[in-house]
Amino acid sequence: VSVSRNEKDLEKAVKFLSTGLKQFDGKLPSDRKTAEIRNMLTVGLLMAKAAEMRKGSRGGHYRDDYPDKIKENWHIFFENAEFNPVKK
């Protein structure tokens, strides 16, 4: 997930990060390094999902496919680890 984003690349990022997280499948990490990798995959997936849902550009978030600046409802909140977005 880079500064300049588009739907195709975000979909690839979500798929890649989701595949990486599936390797953990609810298991506890055996050591600190493994826990850090799982945490980085989780944060990356949250960022990619949020970027994918945002259909416009704002601040450091620029979409090649949606170059216009969005003016309202641009905050996206996740209510749980299942990535169900709640717009406020």
Side-chain angles (χ1 to χ4, degrees):
V1 180
S2 66
V3 175
S4 182
R5 305 161 182 173
N6 60 58
E7 191 76 26
K8 183 179 134 195
D9 291 340
L10 289 168
E11 286 173 359
K12 282 198 276 187
V14 167
K15 184 176 180 179
F16 175 81
L17 295 164
S18 294
T19 301
L21 270 175
K22 283 180 187 173
Q23 294 179 22
F24 292 97
D25 198 27
K27 300 176 206 154
L28 290 175
S30 58
D31 57 40
R32 181 180 176 151
K33 186 174 184 175
T34 305
E36 288 176 357
I37 291 169
R38 182 195 62 187
N39 292 343
M40 286 189 281
L41 287 167
T42 301
V43 171
L45 183 58
L46 285 167
M47 290 173 60
K49 285 275 197 174
E52 191 176 38
M53 283 188 265
R54 184 170 285 156
K55 306 295 186 202
S57 296
R58 182 113 179 137
H61 175 91
Y62 179 76
R63 292 279 305 252
D64 295 336
D65 46 357
Y66 295 97
D68 295 332
K69 185 176 180 180
I70 31 180
K71 296 180 179 164
E72 53 187 277
N73 289 333
W74 57 274
H75 290 288
I76 296 174
F77 300 89
F78 290 98
E79 64 179 303
N80 60 41
E82 296 299 318
F83 310 112
N84 296 320
V86 177
K87 289 188 176 185
K88 294 185 178 185

